[in-house]
Amino acid sequence: MDPYKHRPSSTHNAPFWTTNSGAPVWNNNSSLTVGSRGPVFLEDYHLIEKLAQFDRERIPERVVHARGASAKGFFEVTHDVSHLTCADFLRAPGVQTPIIVRFSTVIHERGSPETLRDPRGFAVKFYTREGNFDLVGNNFPVFFIRDGIKFPDMVHALKPNPKSHLQENWRILDFFSHHPESLHMFSFLFDDVGIPSDYRHMDGFGVNTYSLINKDGKAHYVKFHWKPTCGVKCLLDDEAVTVGGSNHSHATKDLYDSIAAGNYPEWKLFIQTIDPDHEDKFDFDPLDVTKIWPEDIVPLQPVGRMVLNKNIDNFFAENEQLAFCPAIVVPGIHYSDDKLLQTRIFSYADTQRHRLGPNYLMLPANAPKCALHNNHHDGFMNFMHRDEEVNYFPSRYDPVRHAESFPLPPRVLTGKREKCVIDKENNFKQPGERYRSFDPARQERFVHRWVQALSDTWVTHEICSIWISYWSQCDKSLGQKLATRLNVRPSM
């Protein structure tokens, strides 16, 4: 082998996937997990390299969720959930916790219009007495993919073409034609709710499945739901063009002006819970982030309310430097083996350390409002005053001790190392049910948007027929409508 023959400019000439060091990658679709569902192994070097490389692609703008607006307020418990969790901020009705919230669009740049069809980020930071809790989600209850190893590929497909810097349908439809689990997310994105009228009038969801643990150590899977008290409102396509043409920051302005006028936005928090012992009773995997938990089977339970009653003082300090991470939880709330959540636990903190520095949690918007103590030292932009002489643990010169223990999910993990998809994919049932829940006019708008997307001249006949096949498996009449209008037969 000639070590000088291959230079960095020719590294993409290999006929198969490799790591940055040139090692062959035999599976670029699935994370290495315990059994078919997880959790994910940190030893999956390819996964970690892929995510870490992706997290460092942009500076200083966020890779995703670059366009956003923030506000401050409080969360108040209204219903007793102490039987489900020992989280201190949920200990009793009437307890209030200060919060800061950031709403955002997902794919487009920091200066992009807020009227584009795009998911919306919905992130809440609770400043509790036991440290911060970041509930990071979207305005849709599901996501495009179920395994975080595909996240960089997904965002690359949704982002502009690296050659033309134009967002192009053929790239999006090509990528997701390989991932039928994305159909459920597209049933939201191409629906009317794909363009919220503003941030005050949209739902919020934690999206991922977390765990609640009570003081006795009993764990329940949990999903979080935010419901606006003023209702959900959306912009139809022609309305979005008009609004966006007059003000590309309409949602930011609406949020700021509403709070300034004393018209404080408010959401009710609901949860759904499942006993892990019962998770096999469903025809889908409850930890699959491309699925909802049907509310007629798993009803919503009220928890509290969130009120935004104060505008931020500085956009840069409390919006651009505001940083969230799904790994930041408090005692009584923990993770699940949700494959997407497992990778977000690593990826979010990693991207914040890259974008804002290793001491980003010292910034006022991100710092906890309770006392803290650790031996994390120095690094870029460390501005904490410290004068202690003992910076190790344990020590007989420093009385600091371990905190009192708190329960963690007790589930026993078994399984072999493997890269694979979950057993119960069931990709077509829920998006079909959602489409059939629309009234005829809403169905027609949904069909029209898909006809427009699939009519792109760069979309091949093969890709078009695959999408028609997918939607036919969700709902036969939907597939027939698309096939007729596009004059394409489905590829079953």
Side-chain angles (χ1 to χ4, degrees), residues 23 39 140 159 220 226 271-272 300 314 339 360 382 404 418 425 438 448 471:
F140 301 152
K159 285 283 189 181
H220 285 83
W226 296 105
I271 58 173
Q272 291 176 290
L300 295 177
N314 180 272
K339 282 189 177 185
Y360 77 96
N382 188 319
E404 293 183 13
E418 54 186 321
E425 289 195 71
F438 299 162
H448 177 71
W471 286 119

Side-chain angles (χ1 to χ4, degrees), residues 378-422:
D378 304 339
F380 290 109
M381 299 302 291
N382 188 319
F383 52 85
M384 182 183 293
H385 175 74
R386 306 186 73 154
D387 59 5
E388 72 271 26
E389 296 182 270
V390 175
N391 60 350
Y392 49 86
F393 177 84
S395 169
R396 292 183 173 86
Y397 294 94
D398 186 346
V400 68
R401 65 187 190 281
H402 287 119
E404 293 183 13
S405 63
F406 52 85
L408 294 174
R411 191 168 73 85
V412 176
L413 302 176
T414 60
K416 62 182 180 180
R417 288 181 174 90
E418 54 186 321
K419 280 178 173 274
C420 59
V421 298
I422 63 171

Side-chain angles (χ1 to χ4, degrees), residues 160-189:
N161 184 323
K163 182 176 181 179
S164 65
H165 199 66
L166 298 173
Q167 188 185 38
E168 296 172 332
N169 272 340
W170 68 267
R171 289 163 40 82
I172 298 170
L173 296 172
D174 175 32
F175 172 76
F176 286 111
S177 71
H178 299 275
H179 299 283
E181 68 267 28
S182 67
L183 291 165
H184 201 183
M185 183 68 166
F186 277 111
S187 75
F188 286 88
L189 184 60

Side-chain angles (χ1 to χ4, degrees), residues 36-111:
S36 64
R37 299 175 60 213
V40 173
F41 279 102
L42 189 61
E43 74 179 51
D44 190 346
Y45 173 79
H46 169 55
L47 166 69
I48 300 304
E49 179 186 81
K50 187 174 181 180
L51 292 172
Q53 181 82 21
F54 172 75
D55 290 339
R56 290 162 174 80
E57 284 187 357
R58 303 282 193 280
I59 59 169
E61 182 178 289
R62 289 171 170 88
V63 179
V64 286
H65 299 276
R67 172 63 134 132
S70 302
K72 296 183 282 190
F74 66 88
F75 172 77
E76 180 182 19
V77 180
T78 57
H79 291 74
D80 185 9
V81 290
S82 59
H83 61 293
L84 291 170
T85 177
C86 59
D88 177 74
F89 80 103
L90 297 174
R91 63 188 178 274
V95 173
Q96 290 191 356
T97 302
I99 58 168
I100 188 168
V101 179
R102 186 174 189 268
F103 306 104
S104 57
T105 58
V106 175
I107 292 301
H108 304 284
E109 292 91 342
R110 190 161 58 190

Side-chain angles (χ1 to χ4, degrees), residues 221-286:
Y221 293 142
V222 62
K223 282 186 178 289
F224 297 95
H225 301 249
W226 296 105
K227 301 291 184 184
T229 57
C230 58
V232 174
K233 294 183 180 179
C234 310
L235 296 175
L236 298 182
D237 300 76
D238 55 342
E239 294 172 327
V241 172
T242 302
V243 172
S246 62
N247 182 0
H248 80 296
S249 299
H250 82 285
T252 296
K253 177 175 169 51
D254 174 83
L255 180 66
Y256 191 94
D257 290 350
S258 296
I259 294 174
N263 181 22
Y264 302 140
E266 181 175 338
W267 285 261
K268 302 292 187 184
L269 177 64
F270 297 86
I271 58 173
Q272 291 176 290
T273 60
I274 291 177
D275 189 323
D277 294 338
H278 302 156
E279 62 179 318
D280 292 332
K281 295 182 177 180
F282 301 89
D283 62 1
F284 61 92
D285 190 322

Side-chain angles (χ1 to χ4, degrees), residues 324-374:
F324 294 87
C325 176
I328 296 179
V329 295
V330 292
I333 301 176
H334 200 68
Y335 323 119
S336 75
D337 292 342
D338 175 341
K339 282 189 177 185
L340 190 68
L341 176 61
Q342 289 275 314
T343 47
R344 292 177 79 204
I345 290 169
F346 161 77
S347 183
Y348 275 61
D350 185 57
T351 198
Q352 307 298 5
R353 294 184 188 105
H354 160 65
R355 184 171 168 270
L356 299 172
N359 292 302
Y360 77 96
L361 288 174
M362 290 185 186
L363 294 167
N366 303 320
K369 309 308 179 191
C370 60
L372 65 150
H373 189 127
N374 59 52

Side-chain angles (χ1 to χ4, degrees), residues 277-340:
D277 294 338
H278 302 156
E279 62 179 318
D280 292 332
K281 295 182 177 180
F282 301 89
D283 62 1
F284 61 92
D285 190 322
L287 304 189
D288 180 354
V289 76
T290 68
K291 304 294 185 293
I292 62 166
W293 297 352
E295 293 178 17
D296 58 336
I297 302 175
V298 188
L300 295 177
Q301 305 174 52
V303 177
R305 69 188 186 112
M306 174 175 71
V307 179
L308 301 181
N309 59 2
K310 189 177 188 304
N311 278 311
I312 56 176
D313 301 311
N314 180 272
F315 186 82
F316 178 75
E318 295 180 300
N319 185 78
E320 290 305 295
Q321 291 194 122
L322 182 59
F324 294 87
C325 176
I328 296 179
V329 295
V330 292
I333 301 176
H334 200 68
Y335 323 119
S336 75
D337 292 342
D338 175 341
K339 282 189 177 185
L340 190 68

